[in-house]
Amino acid sequence: MKSSKTYAKGHRGKARLQDTSQELDKCFRKLYGPRWPALQAALLKPTQHAAVVNAFVGTPADSGDAASAAASASSSSITTASNAAGLVPLLSLGGVLSTLCRGPGTKPSSPYPPPPLDPGSALRCWYWMDLASVMPVLLLAPRRGHAALDMCAAPGGKACLIAQRLFGPGALVPAPPAPAPAVPVEAANAEQPGSIGRESGTGGKTPGGVSVSGSAAEAAPHQLPLPRLPLGPGKLVCNEPDRQRLARLQRVIEEYVPPHSRANIETLNYAGHTYWGRNQGATYDRVLVDAPCSSDRHVMQQAATTSRGVISASDWSLEGCKRIADEQLQLCLAAMRALRVGGRLVYSTCSIAALQNDDVVERLLRRCNAGGAVGAAGSAAAAAGGGGGGAAAARVLPALEVLQAELAEVLAVGVPAGRPGGGGAGAATGAGVAGTGQGADVAAAAEWVKVTGMEATRHGAICLPDRGGWGPIYVAVIEKTGEGVAAGGTGGGGLVAGMAALLRPQPESESEAEAEEEKEKGEGAGEAGVAEGNGAEAGQEAQP
């Protein structure tokens, strides 16, 4: 994949000018059934955007009264600018996330004005983006001190949100590791061969001859825990394979992230599936793969406005969608290799085709889990890491449950009053949802699901515009549960086998694929004869 355009336009099997509008209609009519006419009409409407407030605006970079006064002035500048633009509150999670939308009197087709600059920090006050695009970052759940990778980062909206969650005022810290259970001295002595137990009325002794009675033994349960080292700010790596889009990504980061946080951000220009397929294994705690896709809504809107409904095969075809899905799988396999065990991959697309969404996740699980077995998100098989009976390297987490857990953590921490969008500790507003306490996280999650139109799928969740007007955005959450050593099984082989298949050269066309297949057959037959003559196992896999 030399650039995003290369792997987002894989429609090479048909004539570039062939009309594939009927093929698209047939494909999605079969997938969505009676829902397709309403969904098609919603997809053809102008895409709406929300103003996601920049959490870095109004945050004092230094301590002191002057810095606090400047931060307060910046917060008021957001309010002034939003009122001048006719924006009204939409959804908010205190100072962690705040979104605005245009007032009801604004025409949907009217242009979105450029976000204003904050005079105090020289940063943009908000970022225009589809509200459903916030979901991948919420489900990614980055924490302060995490190493995060955004593998397909341009144009930069999600990267800025990740930076806010890592370095901003609402950054959460990871949960501390569970302390080791205390072992009673008597039990420890009983487990030691030849240990001396406590005698009645006298002080017991350990095998080393040290008394366990008296002040030392009594003070042990009350000892203070060892101090933890200060938590570092973390790191964010933003990658974009296309050089022109990389320039835009760098400009967005510069306009939305302050210098002291930009020092922890690195921008790269690599083909994600090849670089992370070979480098930086087990390096990151969080990886976002917002994969290039067939962009079905954009293709349909462009055809309706400029081509009188004609969709060329160079823009969309079922064969091209399958090729794009193969490349999306390669990105996910590289992301799994880059993750540490226990880390989280969030895979998202803006496609409505299942073969680029749930089907890619299912193929990923088959590659990562020995035996090739998969389970739906939330099922017993998924909780067991695929349920294949062998080594498991990945499992799917239910997206709606992950969203509820993340909102619960955000609400439990609380945000100081006076932040942009903040209304006190634990403020979470969304058309009347506010406050803390039992059930607040459930109400907040339900409100987010209602506003965005989020609905569960087999392995993730999707936001479609016929429900809430936002999207389409598909998202799935995959946790790395092991390194997945290669193991036997039908269709499996573990993450190692999946990466081996990933790094093999891919044929560029059908003719090359047929020639490659003939070559493999010939080499396989030759190797089988040699192996048979040497007493080795026949049928070895021929290397292309």
Side-chain angles (χ1 to χ4, degrees), residues 273-281 334 337 499 502-504:
H273 73 298
T274 56
Y275 181 80
W276 280 280
R278 296 179 172 90
N279 304 285
Q280 296 187 350
R337 183 185 181 279
M499 290 307 303
L502 163 66
L503 296 178
R504 294 179 61 189

Side-chain angles (χ1 to χ4, degrees), residues 136 260 448 543:
H260 64 274
W448 275 84
Q543 296 295 330

Side-chain angles (χ1 to χ4, degrees), residues 246-328:
L246 175 68
R248 181 182 177 185
L249 168 66
Q250 293 171 332
R251 185 172 66 253
V252 167
I253 292 176
E254 185 176 351
E255 291 179 350
Y256 285 88
V257 182
H260 64 274
S261 295
R262 288 204 302 270
N264 302 308
I265 300 178
E266 182 181 7
T267 56
L268 299 177
N269 179 225
Y270 293 124
H273 73 298
T274 56
Y275 181 80
W276 280 280
R278 296 179 172 90
N279 304 285
Q280 296 187 350
T283 302
Y284 298 95
D285 303 288
R286 297 288 188 268
V287 177
L288 172 63
V289 177
D290 185 26
C293 62
S294 53
S295 302
D296 309 310
R297 183 175 191 176
H298 174 73
V299 169
M300 294 172 61
Q301 289 178 343
Q302 188 177 27
T305 55
T306 62
S307 305
R308 298 182 179 180
V310 175
I311 299 175
S312 66
S314 61
D315 292 328
W316 195 98
S317 70
L318 188 57
E319 179 186 349
C321 290
K322 293 177 181 179
R323 189 184 299 271
I324 292 171
D326 292 340
E327 293 158 349
Q328 291 167 339

Side-chain angles (χ1 to χ4, degrees), residues 410-428:
V410 171
L411 295 179
V413 172
V415 180
R419 289 283 308 126

Side-chain angles (χ1 to χ4, degrees), residues 69-248:
S72 178
S74 297
S75 299
S76 62
S77 71
I78 292 183
T79 304
T80 304
S82 60
N83 291 338
L87 303 181
V88 296
L90 181 57
L91 286 174
S92 178
L93 288 174
V96 175
L97 180 65
S98 179
T99 61
L100 309 169
C101 66
R102 298 194 295 189
T106 308
K107 294 182 179 180
S109 58
S110 58
Y112 290 86
L117 282 173
D118 169 51
S121 61
L123 300 176
R124 298 284 182 184
C125 290
W126 59 73
Y127 189 94
W128 292 110
M129 65 190 307
D130 193 312
L131 182 64
S133 298
V134 175
M135 287 300 177
V137 180
L138 283 177
L139 298 176
L140 189 67
R143 298 290 186 263
R144 187 180 300 275
H146 275 174
L149 167 64
D150 189 351
M151 194 173 285
C152 311
K158 296 182 184 68
C160 290
L161 286 179
I162 297 174
Q164 293 174 25
R165 299 297 307 276
L166 286 174
F167 317 121
L172 304 180
V173 296
V183 180
V185 176
E186 291 82 356
N189 290 339
E191 293 174 0
Q192 296 286 346
S195 62
I196 302 174
R198 182 186 297 274
E199 297 180 3
S200 177
T202 61
K205 292 186 178 182
T206 65
V210 181
S211 173
V212 297
S213 64
S215 59
E218 293 170 359
H222 305 287
Q223 288 179 350
L224 295 176
L226 293 175
R228 300 181 63 191
L229 295 176
L231 190 63
K235 180 181 180 180
L236 173 59
V237 176
C238 300
N239 179 68
E240 173 53 47
D242 184 83
R243 289 187 179 274
Q244 292 182 351
R245 290 168 60 87
L246 175 68
R248 181 182 177 185

Side-chain angles (χ1 to χ4, degrees), residues 414-469:
V415 180
R419 289 283 308 126
T429 61
V433 178
T436 59
Q438 188 175 7
D441 55 333
V442 179
E447 188 65 24
W448 275 84
V449 169
K450 177 183 177 182
V451 173
T452 60
M454 192 176 185
E455 51 191 299
T457 64
R458 174 172 168 77
H459 293 303
I462 192 169
C463 301
L464 295 174
D466 63 329
R467 293 289 175 89

